[in-house]
Amino acid sequence: MDQVKLTEGQKKVRRRRSVAIALALALLVVLFYVATIVKFGPGMFDRPL
């Protein structure tokens, strides 16, 4: 099979894009977590398990 060989510049761009996507996903997770805590309020931690 023919495979594409990436240059060093293309590898760096791909790496930066992957890191940016990972950071955006992590920020979204934190945002949802904070929104959940705000919605349910501090009483959420006082309930029995």
Side-chain angles (χ1 to χ4, degrees):
M1 286 189 186
D2 294 332
Q3 293 185 355
V4 176
K5 301 289 183 189
L6 298 176
T7 64
E8 287 302 316
Q10 289 171 325
K11 288 179 184 178
K12 286 180 182 180
V13 169
R14 179 184 279 185
R15 173 84 175 151
R16 268 189 249 133
R17 185 173 48 235
S18 296
V19 168
I21 290 171
L23 289 175
L25 183 59
L27 180 64
L28 191 60
V29 168
V30 169
L31 181 66
F32 285 153
Y33 180 76
V34 169
T36 301
I37 298 301
V38 167
K39 181 179 177 183
F40 288 113
M44 184 173 83
F45 296 113
D46 292 334
R47 64 186 178 91
L49 297 174

